[in-house]
Amino acid sequence: MASSTKASTEALANSSSDFDAIIVGAGFSGMYMLNSLRDRLGLSARVFEAGDGVGGTWYWNRYPGARCDSDSYVYCYTFDKQLLQEWEWSERYPGQLEILRYLNHVADRFDLKRDIQFGTRVSAATFDEKRNRWEVRTDKGDVVTGRYFIAAVGSLSATNLPKFKGLESFKGKWYHTSQWPHDGVDFTAKRVGVVGTGATAVQAIPEIAQQAKHLTVFQRTPNFCVPARNGKVDPEVVKSRKADYDGIVERIRNSFFGFELNFIPKSALEATPEEREREFDARWDAGGFGFWLSNYQDMFFVKEANGLCADYLKRKIRATVKDPAVAEKLIPKTYAYGTKRQPLDTNYFETFNKENVLLVDASDAPIEEITPNGIRAGGKEHELDIIVFATGFDALTGPLKNLGIRGRGGQSLAQKWEDGPHTYLGLAIAGFPNLFTITGPQSPSVLSNMPVSIEQHVEWISDCIDHMRKNNFTTIEAAPQAEEQWTAHVAAIVNTTLMRPPSVPLVPRPWEW
Ligand SMILES: Cc1cc2nc3c(=O)[nH]c(=O)nc-3n(C[C@H](O)[C@H](O)[C@H](O)COP(=O)(O)OP(=O)(O)OC[C@H]3O[C@@H](n4cnc5c(N)ncnc54)[C@H](O)[C@@H]3O)c2cc1C
């Protein structure tokens, strides 16, 4: 822990224990929530953060190649105009260290660290129905209370490490990408295995392959990827964006996904093959999320339209990967394009042309166990010195269930969500008064450019609390009926898309409603 965060944490541990608000998490969400409640509304607030510094995602995920996929000019706070003008991003997509520097800059600029207790994990939060206050406990023995309890725990902060048989017997070293050592890992002359091929692995694999003696990639589900095309941004573009931030903020807040991207208002099936190829090429050449989020408007809804986009990307994989058998393994075949988060890559598919890289595909060689010397998959032992688990997160519900939340009548959130999440707007939960969840399940969350969704939630929560105080309301709580309606509404939208579960029939497309 840095000396400044350590000093503030020690001072906080011995100070007051009753607050207007308790906030959990000091990433983008928790930091802005603190600023908003403390500096805009004048409330007392305490933030608890498990890490030893601010940054959330960007504090923990330090694996090689860790980088944002949102363009930097929109992957930032927009609530302070001066901050937008003074901060300069060095590249189109900022790397982990640069985002962490940015978030530390914000924390210092708004003097946030003095109210954040670092290195402290919230282990229980119980609503006291007599006092209408939340009682919150931590792993360091703190017991504090707050009128409002705000979970700013992130959607992707609970590590998912599958229970592989034999892991404890492995004689080499192993790491999870989301809990990466702060002093890095040296892969020089090592035989490395990477388990997983999601967005994180797509970033890490090309970097590790450059350093390692040999890299074995264990793939369960292949991914469609589009090139990131990272690099310096033309200073004239930077200047004109800075001059137009009011317009940018207006556009990203009113877009589908929090980017300056909108669909082509036409069906892919109506376009001629030449026209389609031109549109696809333009998005491929530009790099970034354009291929995914500003493609033909029926791409997410109509199988045939989606297939045309997918075929283009499959052709690109076949043209890049020299060994046709490896190329076929790298081509997704079991789900529609875009229904899983679309990773951006820099030399991902090219990496499988390297002599020192081997792809092991779980469809014909599933991982059976970790052995003292490596990984056994499909009956063959792959000898390894280092294993990197890029197996992602217990996403969305995981970090909330881990908080040990109990609402009215002692009901636990984990119990309530046994059959999946039920929320109102992804922000509030029936039976859990004065609990707010920033970017909770059933909100746009990870399907959006998250700082935009985070700012919207923080401002909504802050306005709601302000309204309650001005009108002397003690509690606010989602009505069970509103929660049911919202849950049904979210399911109805999903069921119009190719993201719906295979067992659910497709309902009419939105533009036919
Ligand atoms: C590798 C990676 C790349 C990403 N790239 C993008 C991108 O390109 N664009 C995009 O929009 N989003 C991206 N994201 C999503 C990213 O999580 C969000 O953009 C954003 O950083 C979320 O901020 P947050 O504050 O809501 O949550 P987080 O940053 O996850 O912060 C939550 C904090 O809560 C703390 N916490 C959780 N539980 C407890 C507890 N019980 N007690 C105490 N503290 C707790 C955690 O330690 C963590 O620090 C990416 C995520 C990852 C993992």
Side-chain angles (χ1 to χ4, degrees), residues 38-302:
R38 191 191 69 184
D39 300 341
R40 186 165 84 83
L41 301 189
L43 304 192
S44 64
R46 165 69 51 87
V47 180
F48 290 107
E49 166 54 58
D52 286 339
V54 298
T57 289
W58 307 103
Y59 171 87
W60 295 105
N61 291 263
R62 297 168 186 245
Y63 59 85
R67 188 174 289 286
C68 189
D69 284 344
S70 297
D71 279 62
S72 49
Y73 79 100
V74 289
Y75 193 76
C76 54
Y77 291 114
T78 63
F79 69 88
D80 187 282
K81 287 191 183 188
Q82 212 185 326
L83 176 63
L84 279 171
Q85 294 303 321
E86 76 192 15
W87 185 263
E88 300 282 347
W89 294 107
S90 70
E91 290 176 291
R92 177 173 178 184
Y93 310 99
Q96 171 267 328
L97 261 179
E98 190 171 5
I99 307 174
L100 190 57
R101 232 182 0 257
Y102 168 75
L103 290 168
N104 270 289
H105 168 76
V106 174
D108 294 339
R109 193 179 189 284
F110 295 98
D111 193 15
L112 300 178
K113 289 177 188 167
R114 70 181 153 94
D115 287 309
I116 305 174
Q117 191 170 320
F118 293 101
T120 309
R121 187 170 284 281
V122 168
S123 50
T126 307
F127 186 68
D128 177 341
E129 293 185 64
K130 287 203 188 83
R131 296 175 64 210
N132 287 323
R133 290 181 74 80
W134 282 91
E135 187 192 83
V136 176
R137 291 172 183 266
T138 77
D139 64 351
K140 295 284 168 358
D142 307 278
V143 184
V144 296
T145 72
R147 171 75 65 213
Y148 309 101
F149 181 55
I150 302 171
V153 290
S155 311
L156 306 176
S157 66
T159 298
N160 171 46
L161 181 64
K163 287 197 171 35
F164 288 110
K165 186 178 148 204
L167 179 56
E168 66 295 340
S169 73
F170 183 55
K171 287 194 295 200
K173 296 218 155 101
W174 65 267
Y175 306 93
H176 192 284
T177 48
S178 70
Q179 292 177 4
W180 204 254
H182 288 204
D183 44 4
V185 176
D186 187 5
F187 294 106
T188 314
K190 302 286 189 217
R191 297 162 304 172
V192 182
V194 172
V195 179
T197 50
T200 292
V202 166
Q203 291 183 334
I205 283 168
E207 299 286 326
I208 297 174
Q210 282 187 45
Q211 222 189 64
K213 181 167 139 206
H214 189 269
L215 172 64
T216 309
V217 176
F218 297 87
Q219 169 185 276
R220 188 176 62 178
T221 313
N223 258 300
F224 291 102
C225 300
V226 167
R229 304 205 193 285
N230 191 26
K232 300 268 172 237
V233 180
D234 179 346
E236 284 306 312
V237 173
V238 173
K239 205 165 131 195
S240 68
R241 282 178 177 157
K242 288 212 184 247
D244 182 32
Y245 253 121
D246 285 347
I248 291 170
V249 171
E250 168 80 16
R251 289 191 291 281
I252 60 179
R253 287 194 172 198
N254 290 300
S255 67
F256 283 108
F257 299 104
F259 295 96
E260 289 194 282
L261 295 171
N262 284 304
F263 293 117
I264 304 170
K266 187 175 185 175
S267 163
L269 303 169
E270 286 167 14
T272 64
E274 296 73 28
E275 184 186 345
R276 255 191 328 256
E277 201 70 1
R278 257 198 324 276
E279 295 287 5
F280 290 162
D281 281 347
R283 284 158 182 73
W284 176 266
D285 293 343
F289 281 147
F291 199 94
W292 186 32
L293 303 177
S294 73
N295 214 312
Y296 288 99
Q297 67 172 12
D298 51 354
M299 191 201 87
F300 281 111
F301 305 96
V302 179

Side-chain angles (χ1 to χ4, degrees), residues 377-399:
K380 181 175 182 317
E381 186 179 50
H382 299 268
E383 292 198 356
L384 303 168
D385 304 306
I386 298 178
I387 302 175
V388 174
F389 293 101
T391 45
F393 302 93
D394 181 3
L396 292 146
T397 51

Side-chain angles (χ1 to χ4, degrees), residues 396-397 400-401 416-423 440-442 483 487:
L396 292 146
T397 51
L400 292 166
K401 284 182 176 175
K416 169 156 176 154
W417 283 2
E418 246 168 9
D419 65 339
H422 302 261
T423 78
Q442 300 179 338
E483 186 177 86
T487 301

